[in-house]
């Protein structure tokens, strides 16, 4: 492990081993520990550090306090030809969501499209991870999730709903897949937590303080509320995602979903995933070729002054992943210190 400018540089393999070792020490089965570690490192590689190694401490603290079941096996509550509902049994969100997407892919292979709901889940990391499972078998993937209140409704001053992410994965041909992964707030709450941990300011337009005033202080933002993306449009999208992933699945919704760092009870998050089999709608080679064509048209659009390059959704993240898989993952000293302390509690030597 190499330290640069206050950061620790980890290889991908080393980062995964750290996560797996600590998860296993906390009672997570081997196969589940590998999956969870893979999702955390996936987020780090794509530059989404707010959903990477920084989350490991909160996961394990919840397990140690008995607020999350480390060995939960998702249950299929009901199923039809193209729909299913899973109970996450208060286990890791990564485990039940991957099971849900795998089931959606299986059913979509027979019916053309499938939707699977998830109840009684937890934080699942980066939503893009699960849509990529569909993309990897030539299908279109969709993931919705609710989360703990962090954002006020448009015109409000108190957080009433989560940042409620939306992810869509679309296979291409010669080009990289299109992967949209976005929060419905102006920014993911995890980025504000990370800024607070690093002692950094946040940009204007991200959040309001507890009095409903704009702030650039991450601590004030965490005590206040995030702003929705694109004003009333982001608010409206967050609202319907809460209905589809929370109310529809019989899970928590709105203010009944707890934050990951709230140790007073289960999170009760809900998710909704879907898979669409391209071949049931159109020619697969033709679809891939036209997605490639569209990507190139967008990329070659005349640029506004001062713009060097136009990206399609997911392109920045996929290029970051290629680069960081060679360079290694940079872990801040603050996060490294937390991981080292957590490792000491679990009897795992991280050798920082």
């Amino acid at each position: 492990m190499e330290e640069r400018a206050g950061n620790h540089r980890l290889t991908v393999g080393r980062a995964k081993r750290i996560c797996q070792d600590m998860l296993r020490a906390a009672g997570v089965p081997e196969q589940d520990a590998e999956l969870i570690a893979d999702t955390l490192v996936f987020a780090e590689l794509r530059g989404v550090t707010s959903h990477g190694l920084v989350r490991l401490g909160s996961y394990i603290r919840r397990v140690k306090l008995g607020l999350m079941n480390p060995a939960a096996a998702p249950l299929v509550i009901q199923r039809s030809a193209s729909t299913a509902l899973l109970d996450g049994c208060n286990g890791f969100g990564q485990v039940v969501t991957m099971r849900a997407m795998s089931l959606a892919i299986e059913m979509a292979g027979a019916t053309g499209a499938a939707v699977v709901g998830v109840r009684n889940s937890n934080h699942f990391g980066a939503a893009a991870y699960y849509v990529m499972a569909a993309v990897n078998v030539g299908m279109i993937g969709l993931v919705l999730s609710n989360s703990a209140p962090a954002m006020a409704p448009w015109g409000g001053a108190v957080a009433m709903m989560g940042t409620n992410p939306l992810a869509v994965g679309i296979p291409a041909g010669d080009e990289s897949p299109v992967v949209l992964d976005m929060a419905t707030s102006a920014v993911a709450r995890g980025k504000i937590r990370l800024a607070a941990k690093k002692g950094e300011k946040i940009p204007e337009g991200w959040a309001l303080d507890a009095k409903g005033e704009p702030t650039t202080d991450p601590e004030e933002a965490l005590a206040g509320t995030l702003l929705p993306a694109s004003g009333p449009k982001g608010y409206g999208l967050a609202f319907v995602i809460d209905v589809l992933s929370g109310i529809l699945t019989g899970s928590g919704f709105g203010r009944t979903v707890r934050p990951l760092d709230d140790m007073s009870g289960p999170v009760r998050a809900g998710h909704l995933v879907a898979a669409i089999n391209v071949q049931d709608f159109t020619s697969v080679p033709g679809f891939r070729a036209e997605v490639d064509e569209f990507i190139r048209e967008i990329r070659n659009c005349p640029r506004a002054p001062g713009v060097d390059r136009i990206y399609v959704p997911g392109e920045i993240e996929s290029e970051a992943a290629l680069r960081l898989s060679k360079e290694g993952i940079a872990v801040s000293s603050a996060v490294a210190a937390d991981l080292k302390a957590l490792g000491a509690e679990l009897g795992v030597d991280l050798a920082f």
Side-chain angles (χ1 to χ4, degrees), residues 34-330:
E34 290 180 5
L35 169 64
I36 297 161
D38 199 44
T39 66
L40 297 177
V41 174
F42 172 88
E44 292 283 351
L45 286 172
R46 291 175 68 84
V48 191
T49 54
S50 58
H51 287 54
L53 301 185
V54 70
R55 296 287 182 170
L56 191 59
S58 295
Y59 292 163
I60 291 176
R61 279 191 285 276
R62 294 193 72 81
V63 168
K64 292 182 70 176
L65 290 171
L67 299 175
M68 191 159 73
N69 184 353
L75 297 176
V76 178
I77 299 173
Q78 57 192 49
R79 178 176 175 177
S80 70
S82 59
T83 66
L85 177 63
L86 302 186
D87 192 323
C89 301
N90 195 32
F92 277 83
Q94 287 90 339
V95 175
V96 67
T97 308
M98 197 62 200
R99 172 73 179 110
M101 181 55 81
S102 297
L103 186 55
I105 291 169
E106 174 191 327
M107 292 189 296
T111 64
V115 181
V116 179
V118 173
R119 66 170 58 159
N120 296 327
S121 185
N122 284 282
H123 187 271
F124 64 16
Y129 186 88
Y130 311 101
V131 300
M132 284 301 298
V135 167
N136 289 340
V137 295
M139 294 189 186
I140 296 170
L142 170 70
V143 172
L144 309 175
S145 181
N146 65 5
S147 56
M151 184 171 73
W154 182 244
V158 176
M160 299 292 289
M161 63 188 67
T163 58
N164 297 356
L166 159 69
V168 181
I170 302 171
D174 295 330
E175 300 288 345
S176 296
V178 177
V179 182
L180 172 70
D181 184 355
M182 56 170 278
T184 47
S185 56
V187 66
R189 189 175 176 86
K191 289 188 177 181
I192 295 183
R193 288 197 187 95
L194 199 59
K197 185 176 287 292
K198 293 180 178 179
E200 299 173 350
K201 294 291 186 182
I202 60 173
E204 293 183 3
W206 277 16
L208 305 176
D209 63 19
K211 296 178 181 179
E213 298 291 337
T215 182
T216 59
D217 185 321
E219 297 291 353
E220 290 183 357
L222 291 172
T225 178
L226 302 185
L227 288 168
S230 301
K233 295 180 181 179
Y235 152 61
L237 189 54
F239 186 100
V240 298
I241 289 174
D242 221 337
V243 172
L244 294 174
S245 57
I247 296 176
L248 182 64
T249 65
S251 201
F253 63 93
R255 302 189 79 179
T256 65
V257 182
R258 284 189 174 88
L260 187 62
D261 55 1
D262 177 351
M263 302 300 170
S264 64
V267 169
R268 295 190 66 232
H271 321 306
L272 194 75
V273 311
I276 300 172
N277 198 356
V278 174
Q279 70 180 16
D280 283 76
F281 293 83
T282 187
S283 157
V284 173
F287 176 83
R288 289 180 179 273
E290 289 188 343
V291 171
D292 279 355
E293 180 184 350
F294 190 32
I295 289 171
R296 291 163 187 157
E297 286 180 354
I298 295 297
R299 191 181 288 145
N300 293 323
C301 174
R303 296 186 294 274
V307 174
D308 294 325
R309 181 177 172 186
I310 295 174
Y311 294 90
V312 296
E315 194 170 15
I316 293 174
E317 292 84 355
S318 65
E319 290 184 1
L322 287 173
R323 185 182 74 254
L324 293 178
S325 63
K326 298 174 183 176
E327 296 178 0
I329 296 166

